[in-house]
Amino acid sequence: MVLPTIGFLPPNAYELRNHVCMIPCGGLANDVPLTWKDSQLQYYAKYMVHGQRIDSMFKGFIFNGIRTRDTHFLDPLFVGFGEPSEMIDWLQWIDALFAPYANFHALHRLAENEKLDVWVSVPYPHPFQKNFGTVQGRNLDFESEIDRLTAVQWWLDQFVSRWEQSSQLHDKLAFRGFLWQREVIDDDDEMIVKWVNASIQAKKFLCMWLPNYGSARVIDWRELGFHVTALHSNFSGNQNFDSSWIKNACMFSRYYQTGIQVTWGKGMMYNDTHQLDYFNLGLKEYSNYVTDSFIVYQFPNQTLESINRDSLTDYIRLYTFIKDLYQKIDYPGITY
């Protein structure tokens, strides 16, 4: 695909289905499931009001593996709370994705008469891991870049083989590609990222990255081999960054042709109106990413099931934003 010379990453880039949501699997808190059942995923795949499925919701889903065992983490962000993952964790991640009662199979049941895009995170080969397991007759030590690449290529082969064997899913799920988990790419990861992305592309899949505004190497995202990059503005409402960071991130995104992330979180970092800022500033009179950009949505520390239960009005607003029916909502103290 030839991208335009300037502007957001288009919403139909690579013929993708837009409005993609992150599904964290096996989070640090026990309330984040490793295996998402139909009853949990339905709030993402369907527009649910008072327990009834009214319409479709998100069209793409990123299954992001955080951990499969209590103290071993796939996602490098959480390794400080335990240990880096081993071979068993990488294999368990594949098993969890293809569990017959959850994740891919649950989404397939919810898809009904439409096709949905699916993405999966690549387990991060953490340099702290010196005893990963035996691949091609030798135990891998991730202090070696070759061993890191060998492990990821082995895992990609395992996953792709499992996907190809699961042909019963292919009529309603389109597997599009893989997410690189680290939001920052430093010098230690540059070559492994390029090698992994080249391997993914050789398998005819796409590479995704979700960096923060200002992350190292974000302006080089194409040179690193990514097809899809969506930027997090760093705005959450309760930090020093005000909503102008969304506008600034959008200007950056348009110049470097990335997509945008819409983040709606819960906890000390997040105030009660930050989601309205993301919805409002996506409108035509502001940054217009609701129609012009590929968008990835994240819901840190909460689920759409809990949002639907505790804040149905805002859940409805999210639905209208996805469907391009949203109208600006004012609130006390709004600055734009």
Side-chain angles (χ1 to χ4, degrees):
M1 175 183 178
V2 177
L3 296 176
T5 56
I6 197 165
F8 291 115
L9 182 72
N12 60 346
Y14 304 101
E15 300 182 349
L16 296 172
R17 294 168 180 86
N18 198 19
H19 300 291
V20 177
C21 67
M22 178 76 81
I23 306 295
C25 298
L28 186 61
N30 291 328
D31 58 348
V32 178
L34 172 63
T35 49
W36 291 68
K37 300 179 176 62
D38 305 44
S39 60
Q40 297 164 315
L41 281 177
Q42 66 179 347
Y43 294 91
Y44 298 80
K46 300 297 180 183
Y47 174 48
M48 301 287 295
V49 179
H50 302 306
Q52 299 299 313
R53 298 174 183 174
I54 307 298
D55 195 3
S56 62
M57 196 79 160
F58 290 109
K59 299 298 184 182
F61 299 80
I62 306 165
F63 288 89
N64 184 33
I66 299 172
R67 64 174 176 175
T68 62
R69 294 186 292 162
D70 283 347
T71 60
H72 290 75
F73 289 90
L74 300 163
D75 190 327
L77 182 64
F78 299 95
V79 166
F81 295 98
E83 301 292 334
S85 55
E86 302 171 3
M87 174 183 280
I88 186 173
D89 304 287
W90 292 29
L91 291 172
Q92 286 176 347
W93 176 221
I94 294 176
D95 288 341
L97 289 166
F98 290 93
Y101 57 89
N103 292 345
F104 285 174
H105 284 273
L107 193 59
H108 181 268
R109 288 187 288 270
L110 291 165
E112 296 178 352
N113 297 320
E114 60 184 340
K115 201 157 190 175
L116 302 173
D117 282 356
V118 177
W119 302 77
V120 167
S121 65
V122 176
Y124 180 72
H126 204 293
F128 290 175
Q129 179 54 261
K130 298 182 180 182
N131 187 28
F132 174 75
T134 302
V135 176
Q136 298 177 358
R138 58 193 179 88
N139 185 55
L140 300 186
D141 177 351
F142 288 168
E143 287 189 335
S144 161
E145 284 196 343
I146 296 301
D147 282 9
R148 298 177 78 197
L149 178 61
T150 298
V152 174
Q153 287 180 326
W154 166 80
W155 183 87
L156 289 171
D157 288 341
Q158 303 303 308
F159 174 87
V160 171
S161 176
R162 189 75 167 268
W163 173 257
E164 290 175 346
Q165 293 170 21
S166 302
S167 57
Q168 71 275 18
L169 299 174
H170 297 181
D171 59 333
K172 297 178 183 177
L173 301 184
F175 182 73
R176 303 311 305 260
F178 298 92
L179 170 72
W180 181 259
Q181 287 184 314
R182 285 199 72 188
E183 296 164 344
V184 175
I185 295 174
D186 55 26
D187 291 343
D188 292 338
D189 278 346
E190 179 180 351
M191 288 310 302
I192 187 73
V193 166
K194 288 181 177 179
W195 291 340
V196 168
N197 286 348
S199 181
I200 290 170
Q201 187 166 352
K203 297 177 186 299
K204 309 300 182 184
F205 296 111
L206 301 177
C207 310
M208 179 187 285
W209 185 32
L210 300 176
N212 292 323
Y213 177 38
S215 287
R217 306 303 306 278
V218 67
I219 65 174
D220 303 318
W221 66 274
R222 284 197 193 89
E223 287 74 12
L224 291 166
F226 293 105
H227 302 91
V228 175
T229 294
L231 203 65
H232 189 304
S233 70
N234 297 321
F235 173 70
S236 59
N238 271 354
Q239 292 184 307
N240 293 329
F241 308 136
D242 63 24
S243 62
S244 66
W245 278 69
I246 298 176
K247 301 176 187 178
N248 296 338
C250 287
M251 288 190 289
F252 183 97
S253 293
R254 281 192 292 266
Y255 188 83
Y256 289 104
Q257 300 174 266
T258 77
I260 284 290
Q261 294 183 51
V262 169
T263 303
W264 180 0
K266 181 180 180 181
M268 292 181 63
M269 288 178 56
Y270 304 94
N271 67 9
D272 294 333
T273 56
H274 71 285
Q275 74 277 11
L276 298 180
D277 292 319
Y278 277 103
F279 300 158
N280 289 342
L281 294 175
L283 294 175
K284 182 177 182 179
E285 57 266 38
Y286 296 104
S287 295
N288 200 30
Y289 48 80
V290 69
T291 58
D292 287 358
S293 179
F294 186 83
I295 306 176
V296 174
Y297 299 74
Q298 297 205 50
F299 305 95
N301 308 320
Q302 58 183 343
T303 66
L304 282 193
E305 182 178 6
S306 66
I307 291 172
N308 182 283
R309 180 186 64 242
D310 301 332
S311 184
L312 180 59
T313 297
D314 277 338
Y315 178 86
I316 293 171
R317 288 169 176 163
L318 171 65
Y319 165 78
T320 61
F321 184 79
I322 292 170
K323 299 297 182 179
D324 195 18
L325 300 171
Y326 178 83
Q327 296 183 358
K328 182 182 177 182
I329 303 294
D330 289 311
Y331 59 83
I334 193 170
T335 58
Y336 52 87

